[in-house]
Amino acid sequence: MLKVNNISFSYNRALTLKNIDFSISKGECLAIAGESGSGKSTLLKLLYGEYDLNRGFIFWGEHQILGPEFNLIPGPDYMKYVSQEFDLMPFTTVENNIGKFLSNEDLEEKQRRIDELVTVVELEEVAKTKVQYLSGGQKQRVALARALAKEPEILLLDEPFSHIDNLKKQSLRRSLFSYLKEQQITCVVATHDKHDIVSFADTMLFLHQGEAIAFDTPKNLYEHPKNSLIASFFDEFNEFKISEVTASEKFGVVIIYPHEIKLVPSSHLKVRVKQSFFNGDHYLIKADFNHRNIYLKHVESLKEGQQLCLEIDKSIIKKRASIFEDSFEYHRSI
Ligand code: ADP
Ligand code: MG
């Protein structure tokens, strides 16, 4: 089990991470989400023992992870960290890079392992190519395979798909995360892209300005977003005052995703279409509601100026509204 016990850290005076506290079990995949600058990379580096903590502890089972003050070489054997800089050997082949840390005692076994990893990261076509001739995305995949070579117990990944084109990303994610689950490798992935992890992460930790604002399964966070920052990670979203979408005079706001809004022949919730954006299997419709923009999904584009009547399922409002009643959102005006 990875146990992060109330850690704080600062590069200089201000705290970069404040009181981060969570734990995950062996074989689980944790996503660290948050905006740029929220502290995701810093947290990964702390898990790897690259810096000394200001306070708190990190444990992997019985082993305490210590910073440079107590441990000159960061990164215990059981852990591998793939940073955003790949640090590969450019003048040698993909296979040699992946096999760099593998034993030469049994060359047949070594080649079998290299072939297996080349398949996991889908680099069969360039296995014998020198790394200097590869694209950024291919290099990133070599770095992933090399990190897996010696079967780490924990893998730390910093934006692991950032250089890989969309065409390859989907299948690479599926292949990599299935492999990690099969091998029961615990994984911590920092990302700001929901597609990287929503289908794969067991839990997500949301960072905002160095603080953990949520820790839960992706599904729970999506269905019960505690605030607009979390909702925005998943999708476009709308904020309605409770009084706008129910007959109640209650204070507070509810977050409603575009696909949760239905068009109906008549209702008190009237909007006017401003723009339709083609989005593959649907159009995202931007509409004016009391001089603010709201977004909904529709199968066809709609004419600018057209009036629409909207309906939102009561059960959705009820489930979301209860979250906000006591939170800071309560007094927020929109
Ligand atoms: P993220 O990965 O979420 O984008 P980072 O962990 O890289 O965030 O950065 C968190 C904060 O720490 C930022 O304000 C960043 O400027 C600062 N920071 C990152 N690395 C250093 C460093 N080596 N020295 C000083 N400040 C840093
Ligand atoms: Mg980062």
Side-chain angles (χ1 to χ4, degrees):
M1 173 157 117
L2 178 68
K3 177 127 192 59
V4 172
N5 198 324
N6 214 9
I7 62 170
S8 293
F9 171 77
S10 58
Y11 286 104
N12 29 55
R13 281 231 308 276
L15 281 180
T16 305
L17 287 172
K18 293 162 220 161
N19 304 329
I20 307 293
D21 194 89
F22 65 88
S23 58
I24 53 171
S25 306
K26 180 177 158 47
E28 268 190 357
C29 176
L30 168 72
I32 303 173
E35 304 148 302
S36 182
S38 57
K40 304 183 294 296
S41 297
T42 303
L43 180 53
L44 284 187
K45 288 174 185 167
L46 293 175
L47 295 179
Y48 195 59
E50 250 186 57
Y51 302 115
D52 294 305
L53 301 170
N54 294 25
R55 56 173 287 190
F57 311 96
I58 303 172
F59 277 93
W60 173 244
E62 301 292 301
H63 306 278
Q64 184 168 8
I65 296 169
L66 297 167
E69 200 177 316
F70 306 96
N71 188 15
L72 281 180
I73 305 160
D77 293 345
Y78 50 83
M79 188 181 267
K80 278 281 176 287
Y81 166 50
V82 184
S83 73
Q84 288 176 282
E85 302 87 45
F86 318 131
D87 190 25
L88 299 171
M89 305 181 291
F91 306 117
T92 167
T93 65
V94 166
E95 291 191 338
N96 284 340
N97 269 272
I98 295 174
K100 183 181 172 192
F101 301 113
L102 291 177
S103 153
N104 285 322
E105 254 170 52
D106 180 347
L107 289 179
E108 230 171 80
E109 169 56 20
K110 179 175 176 179
Q111 190 59 45
R112 191 204 60 75
R113 180 76 181 133
I114 291 172
D115 292 344
E116 179 184 38
L117 292 165
V118 162
T119 311
V120 171
V121 296
E122 305 179 333
L123 281 177
E124 294 92 335
E125 282 163 31
V126 292
K128 308 233 181 284
T129 306
K130 285 187 183 162
V131 160
Q132 62 177 327
Y133 301 121
L134 301 184
S135 69
Q138 289 170 323
K139 287 181 190 157
Q140 195 162 28
R141 281 184 274 157
V142 178
L144 278 171
R146 197 185 51 184
L148 289 170
K150 288 190 77 180
E151 302 179 20
E153 292 173 37
I154 318 177
L155 186 63
L156 308 175
L157 303 174
D158 200 348
E159 310 271 359
F161 310 108
S162 56
H163 294 264
I164 296 165
D165 22 287
N166 274 336
L167 202 65
K168 278 267 168 204
K169 253 186 209 177
Q170 298 289 8
S171 82
L172 176 64
R173 287 183 191 118
R174 281 192 292 266
S175 165
L176 176 71
F177 288 114
S178 311
Y179 179 81
L180 296 179
K181 268 282 176 251
E182 261 167 48
Q183 306 292 318
Q184 281 290 293
I185 297 173
T186 306
C187 175
V188 184
V189 196
T191 184
H192 60 267
D193 181 352
K194 76 158 180 177
H195 298 105
D196 282 354
I197 45 88
V198 280
S199 319
F200 311 107
D202 298 296
T203 42
M204 286 179 71
L205 175 76
F206 255 95
L207 292 181
H208 177 57
Q209 297 178 349
E211 291 188 55
I213 57 167
F215 181 78
D216 206 335
T217 63
K219 188 162 183 286
N220 281 345
L221 290 170
Y222 175 77
E223 285 177 359
H224 307 277
K226 270 202 279 188
N227 56 47
S228 50
L229 201 75
I230 294 171
S232 72
F233 178 80
F234 292 103
D235 207 344
E236 293 287 349
F237 65 95
N238 304 292
E239 286 179 300
F240 288 100
K241 290 180 194 167
I242 293 173
S243 57
E244 287 169 337
V245 288
T246 64
S248 121
E249 284 302 307
K250 260 190 191 169
F251 284 112
V253 274
V254 282
I255 284 175
I256 303 292
Y257 294 111
H259 75 273
E260 294 170 331
I261 299 178
K262 282 197 215 109
L263 298 191
V264 288
S266 78
S267 78
H268 72 281
L269 207 59
K270 291 184 175 52
V271 302
R272 204 165 282 284
V273 174
K274 285 170 89 173
Q275 236 176 322
S276 298
F277 300 93
F278 179 61
N279 212 338
D281 62 352
H282 69 272
Y283 282 81
L284 186 71
I285 312 293
K286 178 166 128 184
D288 178 83
F289 174 63
N290 292 344
H291 306 296
R292 51 177 223 266
N293 291 328
I294 65 131
Y295 295 88
L296 58 128
K297 285 185 178 177
H298 194 60
V299 286
E300 291 160 12
S301 79
L302 295 172
K303 265 227 296 290
E304 188 187 338
Q306 186 179 342
Q307 197 188 61
L308 308 173
C309 294
L310 310 182
E311 192 178 86
I312 302 161
D313 205 272
K314 285 206 176 57
S315 65
I316 295 172
I317 297 170
K318 196 159 174 233
K319 149 172 114 179
R320 300 266 164 76
S322 61
I323 306 167
F324 289 101
E325 273 171 17
D326 304 315
S327 76
F328 71 95
E329 300 278 320
Y330 188 87
H331 297 290
R332 198 162 132 189
S333 63
I334 53 173

